[in-house]
Amino acid sequence: MKKFVLLFTGMLMIMSVFAQTNFQELTLEKALEKAKGENKKVFVDCYTSWCGPCKMMAEKVLPLKEVGEYMNERFVCIKVDMEKGEGPDLARKDKVSAYPTFLVLQADGNLMQRVVGGTLDGKEFIQKVDAAFDENSAANFENAAGNRGMDFLLKYTKALIMACDLDKAKAVAQDIIGSLEDSQKCTGPYWFIYEDISLSPMGSGNMNYFLKHTEQFREGVGVEKVDKKLASLFDLQLEEIIRGKNATATLADVEDIQKTLDAYKLTGQDYLYEYIELIKGVKMGNTDKVLEMCKMVFPKMADEKIAYLYFMPILSLKGKWNDKQKEELDTLTEQLAEQVEMSTLKASLRNFKTAIARL
C-alpha cells in the first residue's frame, strides 16, 4: 500500500511539472535548432533579476495548467536574463526595452510577436501569445505594407500594437487620423487610436482633440467607453500623486483636478473621488482622513496596485501617527497580507508591519 501511495504521489508530481510551462536550459541557438526539428516556434521569456512583474508572471501565470498545456505543445521555451550572457544582444536585435517582454520567434530566429508586460490571468496571456499565429499578425501584414487602403491600415495598426511595435503603430495611426474628416474621427472604427495611450499620449494632438470633443465621442462611440477612457486619465494623474512620483502637486492642484472631474460628470467612477480624498488627507497631514480612506480604498484593489500605491501615503506622514492609528494600520496591513496572492507582496506587507511601530 505504501508503495502504491508513493507511486501515485510521484505520478501527481510529474503531472504537475508537465502541466507547467516547460522552460528548457538552452541557448537561443540551441532552442532554435530544437524548434526546427520539432516543427515548433521558440518562446523567450525576457526578464531581469530586479523586475517585480517578471517574478509575478513566473510565479502566478506561467505555471498555470492551461498556460503550460498551450505553450508546451507549440513552443520550445527558454528564459533569458537580459543583463547577462546573450541577453543584451537579444535585447538590441528584437528591441526589448521593458520587462517582462515575451518573444515568439520563428525557427529561423525571425520575430513573429512581441508581448510586453504581464497579464493578470492565463487566458489573457494565451490570447496575446496566440496573436502571433493570427492571419492579421504584424508579420503577415509586413509583406503587404505598401497597401494604403483604410481597412488594411486599421488592421495593420492593431497588429503592430499587438506586436508591441509602438513606434511604427503610432506612425501608421497618424496617417489614418490625418486622412479623416472631423465627423469621422469621433466614430467607432477609429476609437482605438484615441483609446490607446501609446498612440495618443497625454499632451499629444490626438489626446487634446479627444479632450475637446468628448461629447462628440460620447455620441459616436458610446458614453461607457468614453467615460472609461477619461477615468483612466484621471486615474493615471492621481496615482502618480499617491505613489509620490508627482511630488510637486499641491492641495490646490488636487482641488483643480476635482473640479475638472466634476465637469466631465463621469458614470461609475466613484473611486476617483476616493483617491482625491486620500490625497487631500496626505496634503493636509490629516492622519484620521488618510486612515479612513486607506481602509476604504486598498481592500478593493488588485495586488499590483496595492504594491505601488499602499506604502507611500502612510510613510509620507511618518511622525504624525498616534498609537491607536498605528494599531489600526497594523490590522489593515495584515488584512491586505492575507488578501493578496503575490508571495513577494505578502512578504513586503508583513515586513511593513514590523516598521509601523516606528512611524
Side-chain angles (χ1 to χ4, degrees):
M1 183 66 180
K2 285 184 179 179
K3 289 183 179 179
F4 176 79
V5 171
L6 288 171
L7 177 62
F8 182 71
T9 302
M11 289 174 64
L12 285 178
M13 291 175 66
I14 291 169
M15 289 170 64
S16 175
V17 168
F18 280 99
Q20 300 180 28
T21 303
N22 178 26
F23 285 100
Q24 303 179 45
E25 294 187 10
L26 301 170
T27 64
L28 178 57
E29 182 181 358
K30 291 296 183 182
L32 292 170
E33 288 178 8
K34 187 170 185 181
K36 186 175 182 179
E38 296 179 3
N39 195 27
K40 292 182 177 180
K41 313 301 182 187
V42 172
F43 176 87
V44 186
D45 178 354
C46 303
Y47 73 96
T48 67
S49 60
W50 46 261
C51 169
C54 298
K55 293 174 183 175
M56 184 275 291
M57 289 296 295
E59 185 178 302
K60 288 182 62 177
V61 177
L62 293 170
L64 292 173
K65 181 175 182 290
E66 64 267 28
V67 174
E69 289 176 348
Y70 172 84
M71 300 294 292
N72 297 338
E73 181 182 345
R74 294 164 177 80
F75 303 104
V76 173
C77 301
I78 61 171
K79 289 177 176 283
V80 177
D81 186 332
M82 303 308 282
E83 296 180 330
K84 296 179 181 178
E86 61 185 337
D89 287 339
L90 180 61
R92 283 189 290 273
K93 174 180 174 291
D94 287 323
K95 300 178 182 178
V96 178
S97 58
Y99 303 100
T101 290
F102 305 97
L103 304 177
V104 177
L105 305 177
Q106 298 274 15
D108 61 6
N110 286 327
L111 179 67
M112 293 179 63
Q113 183 79 341
R114 185 191 297 106
V115 177
V116 180
T119 62
L120 297 178
D121 58 54
K123 182 178 179 182
E124 182 185 1
F125 182 73
I126 290 170
Q127 287 175 341
K128 288 190 173 187
V129 175
D130 199 52
F133 300 96
D134 195 294
E135 63 179 9
N136 290 326
S137 70
N140 288 332
F141 276 107
E142 292 292 345
N143 297 325
N147 190 327
R148 306 304 295 171
M150 184 57 73
D151 184 59
F152 172 87
L153 290 175
L154 288 170
K155 289 180 178 178
Y156 186 31
T157 305
K158 292 175 181 178
L160 289 168
I161 293 170
M162 287 296 296
C164 297
D165 194 343
L166 298 180
D167 288 340
K168 193 177 289 186
K170 201 171 182 179
V172 178
Q174 285 309 112
D175 285 348
I176 293 171
I177 294 299
S179 70
L180 299 177
E181 301 290 339
D182 279 359
S183 59
Q184 296 173 292
K185 292 178 181 178
C186 303
T187 58
Y190 313 102
W191 169 241
F192 77 95
I193 295 174
Y194 297 95
E195 187 178 28
D196 192 315
I197 198 165
S198 62
L199 301 184
S200 302
M202 289 300 295
S204 67
N206 285 350
M207 184 51 61
N208 291 337
Y209 185 87
F210 166 66
L211 293 173
K212 288 178 182 177
H213 298 83
T214 52
E215 287 306 317
Q216 291 95 317
F217 276 100
R218 279 170 168 157
E219 291 176 10
V221 177
V223 172
E224 184 177 350
K225 288 182 179 179
V226 173
D227 283 6
K228 185 177 179 181
K229 174 60 183 176
L230 285 168
S232 74
L233 301 179
F234 284 104
D235 188 301
L236 180 64
Q237 191 175 17
L238 293 170
E239 286 186 358
E240 285 191 343
I241 300 173
I242 293 171
R243 66 193 291 199
K245 191 172 181 181
N246 180 0
T248 62
T250 64
L251 183 59
D253 293 331
V254 177
E255 289 173 344
D256 286 342
I257 293 172
Q258 183 170 354
K259 288 176 184 176
T260 307
L261 180 58
D262 290 341
Y264 279 115
K265 297 181 173 60
L266 302 185
T267 56
Q269 310 296 339
D270 292 344
Y271 77 98
L272 294 171
Y273 287 98
E274 295 174 0
Y275 276 7
I276 288 171
E277 290 304 308
L278 173 60
I279 296 168
K280 283 182 177 179
V282 171
K283 296 297 180 184
M284 294 186 294
N286 185 338
T287 50
D288 283 331
K289 171 59 75 173
V290 173
L291 180 58
E292 175 191 353
M293 298 314 300
C294 282
K295 290 178 179 179
M296 185 179 298
V297 169
F298 292 108
K300 297 184 289 188
M301 276 188 180
D303 288 14
E304 291 74 18
K305 287 205 171 187
I306 291 174
Y308 68 84
L309 292 178
Y310 180 61
F311 304 101
M312 186 55 68
I314 297 170
L315 290 171
S316 67
L317 297 178
K318 184 176 181 180
K320 296 186 178 182
W321 300 101
N322 62 41
D323 289 342
K324 184 176 183 301
Q325 290 170 334
K326 290 177 184 179
E327 289 178 8
E328 293 185 54
L329 284 173
D330 187 281
T331 301
L332 175 60
T333 305
E334 178 58 31
Q335 176 190 337
L336 295 175
E338 289 289 334
Q339 168 187 317
V340 301
E341 296 182 8
M342 292 170 57
S343 62
T344 52
L345 180 55
K346 281 183 184 289
S348 295
L349 287 165
R350 295 224 158 96
N351 288 336
F352 188 60
K353 274 188 65 180
T354 65
I356 288 175
R358 299 190 298 273
L359 290 175

